[in-house]
């Protein structure tokens, strides 16, 4: 027999098993973000082993990050088709296979394939489903849940840095890659925690779809001349089949386009300061252990900042206008980079790392929450895929552009100024455009209410307009042009 309540889709539970899902997302997201950064410790040894330049070996991390973001649409399609649990488990398996295969590589090109593409694709299958499923389990507490899950990145970074150093000292880079491949298989365990929510959801979706088809068939049969159109609609081309799993209509969504442009611009300066922070400290004459400690300070502050930002974003003062808070966080991040060249001493770099960790954690905690706030949970899966494929280009280009500036001027300050200026510009753009978006939404809501009230007042004027107004109220404002077009057909039918 059907389960009780199977006729309706359950709402997000905002707790219960959802906290176990947050823990699984914490692990999965942590590996996805922290693993490419943690591999840098092996680069010097690999560079000497294969006799390559630093720029050639640095492409391993760049390819991995670009693949993680570039495979976003594929991940979204798979999640829409199969759900989050099997996709994350398959991603964990790919990560393990990629790193274990990398332990047997004999050329830098093979490392690009095994570490960059295979492991990067596995991390892509870990990242997006983990973010998506939180939106299905949480609504009221969603910013807090996202903040806790995103805290996995700094926690994993703090854990992987000493672990990688220990593995390298005892087993070398090949043995370390074997062990890291086995550790990445824990993503399969994290994916197993992503229990699908609500048995009634699929049933309701099927029922609604069938009812919609029946209603459409009935309407078409009644109207007569549209029979041929139904047959044409039944034969879907390739684009329509892809659109089933990836909603390209989001490119008509004003809020989504604002978010996309702002984020693509932001990522030009988002990751480069982390990559060059330790080298910049060494350039100023600080020893390598103290320089590495700056990253630890950044990660510790980041670890606290993400859940704290989630709590603040969930408050009743910030939640209704969370887009402004996100814009401020990006601009604050950029301001930190602009002031970094003033920090010439080690104390100044500690202060910079602390504020950078705070700003970085604020942006990361709200990165996906603000997107879900704009497009809604139903379209979030497609939105994440489309955003990440656009962001992968600037993520790939950001650090190399910073490196070119350093090589050209022989000073790191121009790289920090470039990153800061780009992020301040992105934050300002998002703030202004979100203000415009909020104003337009309020205006559209006001017009919609006015249209709903107008037929009631018009109805009292005369008896002849009464039926027309009744039809208008039932059909909704979006069918206004169709009513004028079909008015003559209605009169003819009434005469018949």
């Amino acid at each position: 027999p059907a389960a009780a309540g199977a006729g309706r889709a359950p709402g997000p539970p905002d707790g219960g098993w959802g906290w176990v899902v947050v823990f699984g997302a914490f692990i999965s997201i942590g590996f996805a973000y922290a693993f490419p950064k943690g591999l840098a410790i092996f680069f010097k040894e690999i560079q000497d082993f294969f006799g390559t330049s630093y720029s050639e070996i640095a492409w391993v991390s760049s390819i991995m990050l670009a693949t993680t973001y570039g495979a976003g649409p594929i991940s979204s399609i798979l999640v829409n088709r199969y759900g989050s649990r099997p996709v994350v488990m398959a991603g964990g398996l790919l990560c393990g296979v990629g790193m274990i295969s990398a332990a047997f590589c004999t050329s830098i090109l093979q490392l690009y394939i095994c570490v960059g593409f295979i492991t990067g694709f596995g991390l892509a299958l870990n990242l997006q489903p983990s973010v998506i499923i939180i939106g299905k389990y949480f609504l009221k507490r969603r910013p807090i849940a996202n903040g806790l899950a995103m805290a996995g990145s700094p926690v994993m970074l703090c854990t992987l840095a000493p672990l990688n150093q220990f593995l390298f000292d005892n087993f070398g880079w090949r043995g370390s890659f074997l062990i890291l491949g086995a550790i990445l298989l824990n993503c399969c365990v994290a994916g197993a925690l992503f229990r699908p929510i609500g048995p009634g959801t699929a049933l309701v979706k099927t029922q609604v779809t069938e009812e919609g088809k029946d209603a459409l068939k009935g309407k078409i049969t009644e109207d007569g001349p549209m029979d041929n159109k139904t047959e044409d609609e039944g034969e879907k081309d390739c684009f329509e089949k892809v659109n089933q799993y990836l909603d390209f209509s989001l490119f008509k969504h004003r809020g989504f386009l604002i978010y996309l442009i702002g984020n693509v611009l932001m990522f030009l300066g988002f990751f480069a300061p982390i990559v060059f922070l330790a080298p910049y400290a060494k350039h100023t004459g600080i020893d390598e252990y103290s320089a590495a400690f700056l990253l630890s300070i950044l990660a510790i502050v980041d670890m606290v900042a993400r859940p704290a930002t989630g709590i603040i974003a969930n408050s009743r003062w910030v939640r209704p206008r969370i887009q402004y808070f996100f814009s401020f966080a990006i601009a604050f991040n950029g301001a930190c980079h602009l002031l970094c060249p003033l920090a010439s001493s080690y104390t100044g770099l500690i202060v910079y790392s602390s504020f950078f960790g705070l700003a970085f954690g604020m942006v990361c905690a709200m990165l996906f929450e603000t997107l879900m706030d704009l497009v809604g949970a139903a379209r979030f899966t497609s939105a994440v895929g489309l955003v990440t494929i656009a962001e992968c280009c600037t993520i790939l280009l950001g650090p190399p552009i910073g490196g070119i500036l350093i090589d050209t001027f022989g000073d790191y300050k121009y790289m920090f100024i470039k990153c800061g200026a780009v992020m301040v510009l992105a934050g300002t753009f998002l703030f202004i455009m979100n203000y415009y978006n909020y104003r337009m939404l309020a205006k559209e809501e006001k017009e919609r209410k006015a249209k709903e009230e107008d037929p009631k007042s018009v109805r009292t004027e005369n008896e002849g307009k009464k039926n027309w107004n009744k039809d208008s109220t039932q059909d909704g404002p979006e069918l206004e042009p169709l009513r004028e077009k079909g008015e003559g057909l209605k009169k003819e039918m009434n005469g018949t």
Side-chain angles (χ1 to χ4, degrees), residues 262-273:
N263 274 259
V264 167
L265 183 61
M266 176 194 75
F267 274 106
L268 269 175
F270 192 60
F271 286 117

Side-chain angles (χ1 to χ4, degrees), residues 182-422:
I183 291 173
L184 282 173
L185 291 175
N186 284 289
C187 293
C188 299
V189 181
L193 300 175
F194 293 170
R195 188 168 65 194
I197 182 169
T201 309
L203 177 61
V204 170
K205 187 176 180 182
T206 306
Q207 289 177 347
V208 170
T209 306
E210 293 300 325
E211 288 173 8
K213 286 180 180 177
D214 293 341
L216 181 63
K217 285 178 183 175
K219 177 72 177 171
I220 291 168
T221 307
E222 208 175 294
D223 292 345
M226 296 179 71
D227 283 335
N228 294 331
K229 188 177 178 182
T230 318
E231 293 175 4
D232 294 336
E233 286 177 352
E235 299 173 0
K236 294 185 177 182
D237 59 13
C238 181
F239 179 80
E240 288 173 326
K241 288 180 180 178
V242 172
N243 200 48
Q244 280 184 325
Y245 303 108
L246 207 61
D247 189 3
F248 289 101
S249 66
L250 282 164
F251 286 109
K252 298 179 181 178
H253 191 291
R254 184 173 58 244
F256 174 78
L257 288 175
I258 292 170
Y259 178 93
L260 180 66
I261 294 169
N263 274 259
V264 167
L265 183 61
M266 176 194 75
F267 274 106
L268 269 175
F270 192 60
F271 286 117
I274 297 179
V275 174
F276 292 107
L277 177 58
Y280 172 60
K282 293 176 186 176
H283 179 74
T284 58
I286 296 168
D287 64 276
E288 58 182 8
Y289 290 102
S290 299
F293 185 64
L294 292 174
L295 287 174
S296 299
I297 293 172
L298 188 151
I300 291 167
V301 176
D302 186 6
M303 197 186 308
V304 178
R306 296 196 191 201
T309 302
I311 294 171
I312 295 170
N314 199 52
S315 64
R316 59 190 177 93
W317 299 283
V318 179
R319 183 79 181 268
R321 291 292 183 268
I322 196 173
Q323 304 297 332
Y324 292 148
F325 192 30
F326 182 56
S327 306
F328 164 76
I330 295 173
F332 175 49
N333 205 320
C336 292
H337 302 326
L338 288 174
L339 296 174
C340 178
L342 300 177
S344 55
S345 66
Y346 187 62
T347 305
L349 286 175
I350 289 176
V351 174
Y352 164 72
S353 299
S354 302
F355 279 99
F356 181 23
L358 174 63
F360 190 82
M362 289 172 65
V363 173
C364 291
M366 292 185 291
L367 194 60
F368 296 109
E369 172 60 32
T370 47
L371 179 58
M372 192 178 293
D373 177 71
L374 286 169
V375 303
R379 306 173 78 185
F380 180 67
T381 308
S382 296
V384 172
L386 295 173
V387 165
T388 52
I389 187 65
E391 290 172 350
C392 77
C393 299
T394 49
I395 288 170
L396 186 65
L397 293 175
I401 291 174
I404 290 171
L405 289 173
I406 295 168
D407 293 337
T408 304
F409 297 101
D411 198 338
Y412 284 80
K413 69 178 181 180
Y414 297 103
M415 185 276 302
F416 284 103
I417 291 171
K418 183 270 296 184
C419 294
V422 164

